[in-house]
Amino acid sequence: MTVRGRVALGSLAPLLALGCGPGTPDARAPVSFTIPAGSSFDQVIDTLTTRGLITFPLGFEVAARLRGDDREIRAGSYRVPDDIGWIPLLDHLVVGRVVTVPLTIPEGFTLRQIAPRVAELTGVPVREVERRLEDPDAAGQWSVPGPTLEGYLFPETYRFAPEVPVDRVVHAMVEGHRRFWTAERLARATELGLSRREITTLASIIQGEARRIEEMPTISGVFHNRLRLGYLLQADPTVQYALGGRRDPLLYSDIDSVANHPYNTYTQPGLPPGPIGAPGEAALIAALEPADVEFLYFVARPDGSHTFTRSLVEHNRARIEAQRAWDALDRAGREAP
């Protein structure tokens, strides 16, 4: 932000000494204020004076100009002690120690799930955020493998100033994904014969399947084995993605209803065109470092674990046992008061 001073230094320099004390020495309550983007230094001083943070505007101005801070003040929302001195106050304004709020993106979130959180933070309507995140040209704009931004907004907790621009939020999340891809990890993907997009896509499926982090490498091993043998992946989360939302339980009729969808891995060979959500670091590492196992199948159990098997016969037995466990859980739920 460009700001403009009002007085020459010269004979006013001795007044700087007056700026070392607080504006209101007896008060202790925090004061909140906002410096809008494009504010002049005059407007900054008016804001600080109105909020009672400075009582000698001319002296504060001289202090700022002597330090060269009058053109370095950053816009944003601030919260400072009411007894803060001029120099610490200037440090806050120049460094930009603005008030921030957390933005948490859980692992596995899709763009549609991310959009409301970004909208709440930025103050932009949800539909507009969705439109921008799902823009077909966004992958090219942000230089990610695509086909969209899906899967490339890295899940973690970020901190932003309120009403930060949407692009700044997207930039931080895309950079989070880029930071994961070290030269060693890119080399490992090449060793596996998979691209960055394919590893991210596989990781998003692992993220969707796993309920326990420790099982991710084994789930990855199953999918790597199926890809190598040319088997259909038959991953339920890809069908849920094709359906546009979770169905619980997922029925054969649901799978059939999207039989021709490119993300339906029950009917389409290989990996889907792109990620189905935002994989976290553990899922990405699992995709790059699958467990050395012979398993080709797995089935989920009510406790979040999976039973892994080598043959279809074993898999069908495991499915029957798992279904019994699910039925018992359902009965217990109905019988509970």
Side-chain angles (χ1 to χ4, degrees), residues 1-5 35-44 69-75:
M1 179 183 72
T2 300
V3 292
R4 177 173 54 81
I35 304 298
S39 296
S40 68
F41 191 56
D42 292 359
Q43 292 169 322
V44 172
D69 291 343
D70 56 317
R71 295 182 179 274
E72 302 296 331
I73 291 175
R74 299 190 182 188

Side-chain angles (χ1 to χ4, degrees), residues 159-173:
R159 296 198 71 89
F160 297 100
E163 299 188 359
V164 64
V166 173
D167 282 356
R168 192 173 299 173
V169 177
V170 174
H171 173 77
M173 291 191 284

Side-chain angles (χ1 to χ4, degrees), residues 24-252:
T24 51
D26 296 330
R28 294 289 177 181
V31 175
S32 298
F33 63 94
T34 299
I35 304 298
S39 296
S40 68
F41 191 56
D42 292 359
Q43 292 169 322
V44 172
I45 289 179
D46 289 343
T47 297
L48 299 178
T49 302
T50 300
R51 302 301 295 155
L53 291 168
I54 57 175
T55 56
F56 184 19
L58 182 61
F60 180 82
E61 181 177 0
V62 171
R65 287 173 60 80
L66 284 173
R67 285 164 49 99
D69 291 343
D70 56 317
R71 295 182 179 274
E72 302 296 331
I73 291 175
R74 299 190 182 188
S77 297
Y78 293 85
R79 184 177 174 85
V80 299
D82 197 17
D83 63 344
I84 191 170
W86 291 356
I87 302 307
L89 178 56
L90 283 168
D91 288 342
H92 270 72
L93 296 172
V94 170
V95 174
R97 296 191 185 112
V98 298
V99 174
T100 61
V101 294
L103 171 66
T104 299
I105 305 299
E107 289 87 350
F109 258 36
T110 64
L111 293 178
R112 284 293 176 93
Q113 292 172 304
I114 292 173
R117 298 194 177 200
V118 175
E120 182 179 3
L121 171 72
T122 62
V124 176
V126 174
R127 293 296 184 190
E128 173 62 15
V129 175
E130 288 179 350
R131 184 191 67 77
R132 293 169 68 172
L133 295 184
E134 297 173 355
D135 185 339
D137 297 327
Q141 175 188 350
W142 293 101
S143 300
V144 296
T148 67
L149 282 179
E150 191 77 89
Y152 304 103
L153 304 184
F154 198 70
E156 64 178 47
T157 297
Y158 303 85
R159 296 198 71 89
F160 297 100
E163 299 188 359
V164 64
V166 173
D167 282 356
R168 192 173 299 173
V169 177
V170 174
H171 173 77
M173 291 191 284
V174 169
E175 284 301 307
H177 176 82
R178 286 201 185 101
R179 281 194 298 273
F180 173 84
W181 286 99
T182 62
E184 293 76 15
R185 286 167 174 165
L186 288 169
R188 174 57 178 161
T190 300
E191 182 183 333
L192 292 170
L194 297 172
S195 66
R196 180 176 149 202
R197 178 197 289 197
E198 289 170 325
I199 288 293
T200 305
T201 299
L202 178 56
S204 72
I205 298 173
I206 295 168
Q207 187 75 66
E209 292 279 16
R211 294 296 175 269
R212 297 184 177 185
I213 292 178
E214 64 269 20
E215 288 190 344
M216 284 184 173
T218 306
I219 292 173
S220 177
V222 171
F223 286 138
H224 275 278
N225 289 343
R226 294 182 74 89
L227 287 170
R228 187 180 68 255
L229 295 171
Y231 287 17
L232 292 171
L233 290 185
Q234 297 184 327
D236 289 2
T238 65
V239 179
Q240 307 276 17
Y241 189 78
L243 289 166
R246 186 169 182 82
R247 306 285 176 85
D248 195 12
L250 183 67
L251 306 176
Y252 286 115

Side-chain angles (χ1 to χ4, degrees), residues 232-307:
L232 292 171
L233 290 185
Q234 297 184 327
D236 289 2
T238 65
V239 179
Q240 307 276 17
Y241 189 78
L243 289 166
R246 186 169 182 82
R247 306 285 176 85
D248 195 12
L250 183 67
L251 306 176
Y252 286 115
S253 59
D254 296 324
I255 298 173
D256 292 340
S257 70
V258 287
N260 296 323
H261 198 286
Y263 281 78
N264 186 341
T265 57
Y266 275 86
T267 58
Q268 309 301 316
L271 289 163
I276 60 171
E281 183 174 3
L284 285 162
I285 291 174
L288 287 168
E289 301 293 342
D292 184 11
V293 295
E294 297 179 355
F295 301 131
L296 291 172
Y297 306 90
F298 59 84
V299 62
R301 298 182 60 81
D303 64 357
S305 68
H306 290 82
T307 301

